[in-house]
Amino acid sequence: MTGGSGGQSARTRSSPLRWLGEALGLLLLLAALNAVLAPDDPGALRLAPHPLYAVPALIGARYGLGGGLGAGLLAGLAHLLAQLHPLGAGTAALPAPPAGLPWHLDPTQPLLMLLAGGVLGGLSERLLQREALAQRRARQAERERERLAERLVIAEAANRELERRIVEPAAGVARLYEAARRLEAMDEEALYPAVLEIASEHLQADRCAIYLLEGELLRLRAERGQPPHPERLVPDGLAALALRERRAVSARELLLAGSETAPAERGGGSGAPAASPAPAGLAPLLAAPLLDAEQRPFALLAVTAMPFLRLTEASRRILDMIAAWAARAVEKARYVGAMRERVVLDEALGVLRASYLQRRLAEELERAQRYRQQVALLVLEVEDWERVPAEGRLVLLRVLVEILLARLRRVDQVFRLERDGALAALLPHTAEEGGRRAAVRLAAAVHALGLAPYAPPAPLGFRIGLAAYRGDPEAEPPAPASLIEAALAAAQPGAELLEPPPPAAAPQAPPAGDEPPPPASRQPSRPRRRARRRKDEP
């Protein structure tokens, strides 16, 4: 540390041997310079101030009071020695020696050197003491900084741990919320991929799949990851164990329990059609059955690839919970789907649903076939449906529904087809020619409104199709789906229906003398003919 090295340097400088060596070195240097520059003035006694003052000044400033006094003493002794030299005695800088003595010693300069060394050393000693105090304080500050740094590291670690403990539950709740939202779908087809996504996120599974149980076989319904899973297979190994135990199991349990799957358990003698298993089998690491309300398995959730360290008892419990949650969601979706099939009204448009069209059309076709009647199906489809803004699609369909209801008979029923932007009308007791006239009236009504629902605005493009059936007791009626497809395939643009028909031939005038029968003579016969027809009908 900086404070420690500074204190050690100060203690080294205060060593007597060190300042003594430097003082002797300076004295030798001055002596050498004196010998070179002024050989006739040994000791440089003629110079004022004397160069020897530099020795106590430098040593005292560097080493403090002790060094200054010691260097001043050495410099004074050196000055006295210079005075004792034969050539130095009696110089102009010194008075003449007294009679009878070969030399004369002047103690003034040595005393002044000793005094200068003491004064400068004392001043330097105070500075050195301040420096030592500053170094001690620096060392204390350094130690305090290290302690604060350690406390900061501990505090940061504690803060991260607190944040983890605060954020992880929130993240867990967020993941559970997202999982719940995915499983809220009432469409069974959308539930299976959502279940696989949840299993992949919570178990870090690289590959997983859902199989539906069909008799003695498992059929792939949804999968995630590569390579693909086998389409059909016989449940064996871990899959058979999970279906038999009706709980989630792991490969570790299978290894501990041993291979207990017998050929009878694999459905070998059930007479079921042969499966097409994968070349290496399913070999899941985790498997959990999806149980219905009566605790019978109807599907299997299998994890076939995941990190080895995640293959724990906790992962097995998580998969068991996911499977139970998914089973309830699938049961709910199936129930809602069954209820939707029973609901015949589309509440958004106020018309009948496409699923009900299949049943109604089947009834009308059977009635027409039995009683030799006719039935027609009219289809209205919007062109370029994707160009219609999303916020205006429902409004457009409602307008078209109102047109259909206004231009058709009260006995005619309007349906919403599964195809986007398509409506249908069932016209019972209607021949093909009557259906064409209804199509022309419908096209004229739609064209008269001048709708421009597209973005950018453009006139509405629509197609109208017609399919008719004349009953024949000797032949089977067509399937409802085929009649719907025929109407959609025969659809033509509404503009073509609005083209005026070719002019009809003018009626010829009756020959002279022949008067046309009065129309009133035919009118009374119509109710009787209708009455007879109703009487003759079965």
Side-chain angles (χ1 to χ4, degrees), residues 195-196 199-200 203-211 218 220 222-231 233 236-239 249-251 278 280-288 300-308 310-311 315 319:
V195 172
L196 295 180
S200 177
L203 298 176
Q204 298 180 6
D206 300 323
R207 292 178 66 229
C208 49
I210 290 182
Y211 283 85
L218 290 174
L220 181 65
E223 64 178 336
R224 184 183 179 94
Q226 294 293 332
H229 294 81
E231 291 290 335
L233 52 87
D236 59 353
L238 194 65
V249 294
S250 64
L282 184 61
L285 299 176
L286 290 171
L300 180 72
L301 174 58
V303 177
T304 54
M306 64 182 300
F308 180 75
R310 296 284 299 179
L311 190 60
S315 298
L319 184 67

Side-chain angles (χ1 to χ4, degrees), residues 120-266:
L120 294 176
L123 295 176
S124 178
E125 184 70 22
R126 295 188 60 184
L127 295 177
L128 290 176
Q129 290 176 356
R130 291 180 181 178
E131 180 184 0
L133 179 60
Q135 289 177 356
R136 287 195 300 271
R137 290 178 177 176
R139 288 194 296 270
Q140 293 176 356
E142 182 68 19
R143 288 193 294 268
E144 185 66 21
R145 187 189 67 82
E146 292 177 355
R147 287 195 299 269
L148 292 177
E150 292 177 359
R151 293 178 60 183
L152 178 62
V153 171
I154 296 173
E156 289 179 350
N159 186 33
R160 287 193 297 268
E161 180 65 18
L162 289 175
E163 289 181 353
R164 184 185 65 82
R165 295 187 179 185
I166 293 173
V167 172
E168 278 188 356
V173 171
R175 288 196 297 268
L176 289 177
Y177 174 71
E178 290 297 327
R181 287 191 58 188
R182 295 169 190 159
L183 295 182
E184 285 178 356
M186 293 295 103
D187 184 9
E188 184 179 355
E189 296 296 331
L191 280 176
Y192 295 116
V195 172
L196 295 180
E197 188 174 355
I198 293 171
S200 177
E201 289 180 0
H202 288 266
L203 298 176
Q204 298 180 6
D206 300 323
R207 292 178 66 229
C208 49
I210 290 182
Y211 283 85
L212 294 185
L213 186 62
E214 296 181 349
E216 299 293 336
L217 299 178
L218 290 174
R219 182 175 61 85
L220 181 65
R221 188 60 180 269
E223 64 178 336
R224 184 183 179 94
Q226 294 293 332
H229 294 81
E231 291 290 335
R232 294 166 64 90
L233 52 87
V234 176
D236 59 353
L238 194 65
L241 181 62
L243 294 175
R244 184 173 63 251
E245 297 287 338
R246 298 181 183 181
R247 64 179 180 87
V249 294
S250 64
R252 184 179 61 179
E253 295 183 28
L254 185 63
L255 293 176
L256 294 177
S259 179
E260 301 177 356
T261 306
E265 294 176 350
R266 301 188 184 186

Side-chain angles (χ1 to χ4, degrees), residues 60-78:
R62 182 172 174 79
Y63 293 100
L65 181 60
L69 291 176
L73 181 60
L74 291 177
L77 293 176

Side-chain angles (χ1 to χ4, degrees), residues 314-386:
S315 298
R316 188 198 66 80
R317 290 196 299 267
I318 291 175
L319 184 67
D320 202 0
M321 290 187 291
I322 293 175
W325 198 357
R328 289 193 295 269
V330 171
E331 286 289 309
K332 183 178 179 181
R334 289 180 176 180
Y335 176 78
V336 171
M339 292 297 102
R340 284 177 177 174
E341 291 297 327
R342 298 180 182 179
V343 175
V344 298
L345 184 65
D346 189 323
E347 297 180 358
L349 295 180
V351 297
L352 300 174
R353 297 171 58 88
S355 58
Y356 185 59
L357 174 61
Q358 299 279 346
R359 298 201 297 269
R360 283 290 297 120
L361 192 54
E363 295 172 357
E364 291 295 333
L365 290 174
E366 183 179 357
R367 183 181 295 109
Q369 185 240 1
R370 181 178 181 182
Y371 299 111
R372 297 181 181 274
Q373 296 177 357
Q374 302 182 53
V375 62
L377 182 67
L378 197 64
V379 173
L380 172 61
E381 182 181 8
V382 177
E383 296 180 344
D384 298 329
W385 179 253
E386 64 278 359

